[in-house]
Amino acid sequence: MTVKIAVLPGDGIGPEIVGEAVKVLNAVAGKYSHEFEYEYGVVGAAAIDKVGEPYPDETHELCLNSDVILFGAIGDPRFDNNPKAKVRPEQGLLKMRKALGLFANIRPLVMFDALAERSPLKTERVKGVDFVCVRELTGGIYFGRPQGRTEDGTVAYDSCVYSREEIERILRLAFDMAMSRRKHLTVVDKANVLATSRLWREIAKEIAPEYPDVEVEYMFVDNAAMQLIQWPAAFDVMVTENMFGDILTDEASVISGSLGLLPSASVGKENALFEPIHGSYPQAAGKGIANPMATILSAAMLLEYLGMKEEGAAVRVAVAKAIEEGVVTEDLAEGGKSYSTKEVGDFIAKSI
Ligand code: IPM
Ligand code: MN
């Protein structure tokens, strides 16, 4: 199969971790006789520096003309520490999600047995954890208008807005996913306070009868934050709005032992982008210490999205082998021997 892959390394550790994922994709191409064609684009601070905006038109064109997109990370402390900055790298990511119609962010969390001891939670609680968070990605408070400040600058506001159409398509995707898994769906909202959440819950209750095999549970987000840490193995598919999903998935990531392990897929009707859930980790940029596994596992999701099930599985097996054999970066080494970003990528590519 010939696949056109747009590669957007982004900022900070982005180029390093994406480099390792490409290395792994090349190993897959070699083993399974595929042809992967990569074309690179800029996004984030890298794009601001180059052309003055965080998601340039050329990058958008590149994404539209590719089969799939592999993305690293966005963010730069030069902008984080300057609340007055007119353009911000993150705007590029939001614009890209919106412009490509990537309304569903799929964030799976699977516990690697070899890491159960590393989790900050008790081993018996994290054994067998295997759930997916389906996060709505192009609506809610991230995009709602009006947003801004009053003229005198003393009051600021954001709006959380959701349409029936936006809610329905993400809920259906989550119900379908539950059907393909353990048939348990947790709808996370704040329906006791927010109007948007009440609309979510209303629509979920309308759709539920179409999926009689799916057991649906409704949970307030504050309670979900607690249950997730207390009983992570109780979750199968969780679906929620944009910001709740952002927060809950960072929380969930610590369960696995490292934020550097969690991949994600952002999908829409026509486009699909694959990225680690972690940020650009600027303190580590260029040091060769970043964990490339989240990006490599995102590449596995990319392959599976293209229907390459065996290839995706091969990547997962290779990552698990690296973890079992202790070929890991310092975030997972627990003070023991650690390997560089490149060495971990080499090991995984070689195993494939
Ligand atoms: C994520 C990130 C982004 C988000 C930021 C960088 C805008 O935290 O992908 O989870 O909040 O969606
Ligand atoms: Mn986030």
Side-chain angles (χ1 to χ4, degrees), residues 11-27:
D11 305 325
I13 58 170
E16 296 163 61
I17 53 177
V18 163
E20 299 314 311
V22 168
K23 190 185 281 173
V24 169
L25 285 171
N26 283 334

Side-chain angles (χ1 to χ4, degrees), residues 87 158 204 210 243 257 267 276 297 336 342:
V87 279
D158 297 281
E210 293 175 39
M243 190 158 77
V267 302
L297 290 168
K342 207 170 149 309

Side-chain angles (χ1 to χ4, degrees), residues 132-134 167 170-172 174-175 178 184-192 196-208 214-225 227 234-241 244-245 248:
V132 182
C133 179
V134 177
I167 299 170
I170 191 80
L171 284 175
R172 285 193 183 279
F175 270 102
H184 180 207
L185 179 65
T186 308
V187 179
V188 175
D189 63 28
K190 188 72 184 173
N192 50 346
T196 40
S197 284
R198 287 193 283 274
L199 185 57
W200 272 73
R201 211 175 259 220
E202 188 181 310
I203 297 172
K205 289 199 166 158
E206 275 170 33
I207 297 177
V214 176
E215 184 199 334
V216 189
E217 179 185 20
Y218 297 89
M219 202 180 271
F220 295 141
V221 62
D222 46 353
N223 183 23
Q227 303 276 345
F235 290 91
D236 177 17
V237 178
M238 170 193 286
V239 62
T240 191
E241 64 93 53
F244 295 161
L248 289 177

Side-chain angles (χ1 to χ4, degrees), residues 257-269:
S258 171
L259 184 57
L261 278 176
L262 290 214
S264 86
S266 300
V267 302
K269 277 207 196 71

Side-chain angles (χ1 to χ4, degrees), residues 270-282:
E270 267 134 45
N271 302 290
L273 175 148
F274 300 83
E275 59 169 314
I277 88 155
H278 61 70
S280 61
Y281 194 10

